[in-house]
Amino acid sequence: MPTESLQIPTADGRADALAAFPDDGERHPGVLLYMDAFGLRPALEEMALELAGHGYYVLVPNVFYRHGPAPVIELPEHIGKEIRPAIIAQLMPLIQAHTAERVLGDADAYLRFLTTRPGVSPGPVAVIGYCMGVNVALRTAAAHPDQVAALAGFHPSPLVSDAPDSPHRLVSKLTARVHLGLAENDMTSEAIDELGQALDTAGVDHTCEIYPGTVHGFTMPDTDAFDASAQRRHWDRLLSLLGRTLSGSP
């Protein structure tokens, strides 16, 4: 599968990005993949290539582009438990600077770019997020219900809060089918119930499940949180969702 380094024009500059796609000269359904807090790196490229192997054009933007091209901070090949807190401390100002306003402005640019790529087929796209990317993906799907047919999120950062713009308050705007895969420590039972109630009330076709025995970050093979069994389960759920929404499968 080929990959391509790209520059996406945005209102605030140009976001560097990675694209992965089948090498067959055909057009394929588009997938916008939002990174976890550790950013655009080889582990994300591997995930994009896996999806491309199943027949999708996958765009992975560096959402921290305002602070420089990826990798925005220096990362080790493996992010172990002992160094994770120090890395998160470096990243926290970037995470906090990525406001809802910036998320929505960037989402407009990313979707416009993705849907006009020559390798992307007409029709709806999917949005996927990991960690902080789930928040971003949900906001993107809620802001673009006419374009986003599938929304998937894994080991999310908090989705339920008292804030007026808490992600769970946006689900009434969704038209996408949704799958959320949670680690055991991602959300309290009360928050899960509140999110589920919001999705049910909005009539959103969704699944929300806890992946047993997992910790936050379980899909990422370059971290101590990685769980191979849970990652396989994540691929099963994700590919099923994409097949039902983008590929015409039942």
Side-chain angles (χ1 to χ4, degrees):
M1 295 292 144
T3 61
E4 185 178 6
S5 296
L6 299 167
Q7 296 287 323
I8 304 175
T10 76
D12 291 334
R14 301 182 76 83
D16 51 306
L18 168 82
F21 44 89
D23 189 19
D24 58 7
E26 302 294 327
R27 302 174 77 183
H28 297 274
V31 175
L32 176 58
L33 192 160
Y34 284 118
M35 65 192 211
D36 63 349
F38 295 127
L40 185 52
R41 61 195 191 282
L44 270 294
E45 181 176 351
E46 291 172 14
M47 299 178 89
L49 285 166
E50 177 72 23
L51 278 173
H54 290 275
Y56 300 99
Y57 185 106
V58 187
L59 181 67
V60 192
N62 167 27
V63 304
F64 294 151
Y65 70 89
R66 294 174 180 84
H67 307 275
V72 179
I73 70 167
E74 186 176 350
L75 292 171
E77 288 187 12
H78 186 84
I79 302 168
K81 293 178 182 177
E82 70 286 350
I83 58 174
R84 183 186 180 97
I87 294 173
I88 292 295
Q90 284 185 269
L91 290 168
M92 192 54 65
L94 282 64
I95 296 169
Q96 293 172 339
H98 199 54
T99 61
E101 182 180 5
R102 285 182 169 182
V103 166
L104 294 177
D106 289 348
D108 292 346
Y110 299 155
L111 286 174
R112 184 167 54 249
F113 188 86
L114 173 63
T115 56
T116 55
R117 299 298 296 165
V120 175
S121 55
V125 303
V127 181
I128 306 167
Y130 298 86
C131 179
M132 62 165 280
V134 184
N135 182 315
V136 179
L138 195 157
R139 293 183 188 280
T140 299
H144 297 272
D146 57 331
Q147 287 184 283
V148 180
L151 167 64
F154 300 93
H155 44 84
S157 58
L159 298 176
V160 177
S161 75
D162 294 331
D165 66 344
S166 172
H168 81 288
R169 303 186 195 281
L170 305 174
V171 300
S172 63
K173 300 178 180 179
L174 295 174
T175 59
R177 290 187 179 184
V178 176
H179 174 75
L180 298 174
L182 312 179
E184 288 190 344
N185 63 341
D186 277 331
M187 296 171 61
T188 65
S189 58
E190 292 80 9
I192 293 172
D193 289 345
E194 188 168 355
L195 177 61
Q197 184 176 356
L199 289 162
D200 288 338
T201 299
V204 176
D205 183 346
H206 73 280
T207 56
C208 181
E209 60 181 336
I210 296 173
Y211 288 28
T214 57
V215 297
H216 183 76
F218 59 79
T219 64
M220 297 298 164
D222 59 348
T223 75
D224 279 354
F226 179 63
D227 183 307
S229 176
Q231 192 200 49
R232 288 193 297 272
R233 182 175 181 172
H234 134 276
W235 284 124
D236 288 343
R237 298 294 195 268
L238 178 55
L239 292 170
S240 175
L241 176 69
L242 298 183
R244 295 196 312 273
T245 53
L246 301 188
S247 303
S249 301

